Amino acid sequence: MDQPDVEAPAAAERARLRAYLLLTFTAFLWGCNAVAGRWAVGQVSPQALTTLRWAIGFAVLALFAGRRAVSERQALARRWRYVLAMGAVGYTAFASLFYLAGNYTSAVNVALFQGAIPVLVLVMNFLARGVPVGLGQSLGVCVTLAGAAVAATHGDWNVLRTLSFNQGDLIMLVACLFYAGYTVALAARPKVDGVAFFTAMAAAAFLTSLPPLAAEWALGRLIWPTPWGWAIVAFVAVGPTLVAQLFFMRGVELIGPNRAGLFVNLVPVFGALLAVLVAREPFGPGEALALALVLGGILIAERTGRRKA
């Protein structure tokens, strides 16, 4: 008699746990990025930080993975429009708006607003690919959306009535829209080595960051890094840029964009805690309620997504 195949479920469980670890650490690094973006105010301008981030990131990738990228050049060249768009939207546009938002709102809010990304991922995946959203996932989305609403209003519901949102909060919402589109489109990436693909996108991000950098300089808003600004640039280039992006791409490969996108909900948890502990920002009942809601949303939606998978 044939023995039952027990290796497949065990391998699937190992892949799931590996994805959870990678995506949780990714969320931690992105939470650190929210604090770094807030600290960058006055030390380095938003677009200078974005350009230097990807210049360093691409240089490191080219040094260690250049040969792998060259070996995949034909496959990458066939999809050059896709690569360029992914670098421009997911990396340049998101980072530029992310750091710009830090000039107008708190690190806690920058982190909390990233909880909107999983909501947008589910909606975009449904609209673009018809990927169904189950009842449990819908409930998780609603809970998460409630958390984002609490963060946006700072617990003051008159904000919704008068639509008097903070400028930085609105900028973050647009940034989240860009990154959600990038997350959904990531599932259609070329069948090439992941590091080679990331190297190509880093090059695209650096190139597409140059025109906004020129605009920032022309407007007289360019701030070249101070010594502390260079420390922020170095951290952002290595942690949230290189390590986190590679881990996130691998997580999407292992459990898909819908479930991987939900882990972005952990960014508000890490970001808010770090903002309070490290940046000494205030943390009141409204922020606590927002954290509880986004964390509850990820637990509900992820458990449902895992059962469906």
Side-chain angles (χ1 to χ4, degrees), residues 271-283:
L273 291 175
L274 288 166
V276 173
L277 296 175
V278 179
R280 304 298 183 185
E281 290 194 353
F283 188 80

Side-chain angles (χ1 to χ4, degrees), residues 15-305:
R16 181 176 65 84
L17 292 176
R18 187 162 60 250
Y20 285 8
L21 289 173
L22 292 174
L23 292 168
T24 299
F25 189 61
T26 295
F28 171 74
L29 289 174
W30 283 341
C32 293
N33 195 33
V35 177
R38 183 63 177 163
W39 277 350
V41 177
Q43 306 295 326
V44 55
S45 55
Q47 197 55 49
L49 177 55
T50 300
T51 300
L52 290 170
R53 169 186 184 175
W54 289 110
I56 294 172
F58 172 64
V60 173
L61 286 167
L63 180 63
F64 291 99
R67 291 183 179 180
R68 296 165 72 172
V70 170
S71 68
E72 302 278 10
R73 63 186 182 279
Q74 292 183 347
L76 291 169
R78 286 194 293 269
R79 299 287 303 279
W80 71 268
R81 292 181 180 85
Y82 171 86
V83 173
L84 186 65
M86 291 288 278
V89 173
Y91 294 165
T92 297
F94 174 77
S96 299
L97 294 173
F98 181 94
Y99 296 128
L100 181 61
N103 286 269
Y104 302 102
T105 192
S106 67
V108 170
N109 257 33
V110 168
L112 288 174
F113 264 86
Q114 290 179 80
I117 293 177
V119 177
L120 296 171
V121 168
L122 289 172
V123 173
M124 289 183 178
N125 230 3
F126 173 75
L127 294 175
R129 297 194 176 90
V131 176
V133 179
L135 180 61
Q137 285 182 311
S138 298
L139 177 60
V141 164
C142 291
V143 173
T144 297
L145 193 58
V150 172
T153 60
H154 304 273
D156 181 4
W157 297 109
N158 286 325
V159 172
L160 287 178
R161 184 173 56 83
T162 61
L163 295 178
S164 56
F165 290 102
N166 180 289
Q167 182 180 355
D169 296 338
L170 294 176
I171 292 172
M172 269 306 302
L173 282 177
V174 176
C176 292
L177 183 64
F178 279 125
Y179 204 82
Y182 161 81
T183 302
V184 172
L186 193 59
R189 74 177 182 85
K191 302 300 181 182
V192 298
D193 177 81
V195 178
F197 176 58
F198 184 38
T199 303
M201 283 200 300
F206 171 65
L207 291 174
T208 55
S209 74
L210 294 177
L213 179 67
E216 188 177 68
W217 172 79
L219 292 171
R221 297 177 181 176
L222 178 65
I223 301 175
W224 200 246
T226 64
W228 178 240
W230 277 114
I232 294 172
V233 168
F235 167 74
V236 167
V238 174
T241 299
L242 292 175
V243 176
Q245 293 291 353
L246 286 170
F247 282 6
F248 186 71
M249 284 195 299
R250 180 56 177 157
V252 170
E253 288 179 352
L254 290 171
I255 62 174
N258 271 15
R259 295 170 66 197
L262 289 170
F263 277 81
V264 179
N265 275 318
L266 291 175
V267 175
V269 177
F270 290 126
L273 291 175
L274 288 166
V276 173
L277 296 175
V278 179
R280 304 298 183 185
E281 290 194 353
F283 188 80
E287 287 79 11
L289 177 59
L291 276 178
L293 289 170
V294 295
L295 186 57
I298 188 175
L299 290 175
I300 294 169
E302 169 56 18
R303 284 175 66 86
T304 302

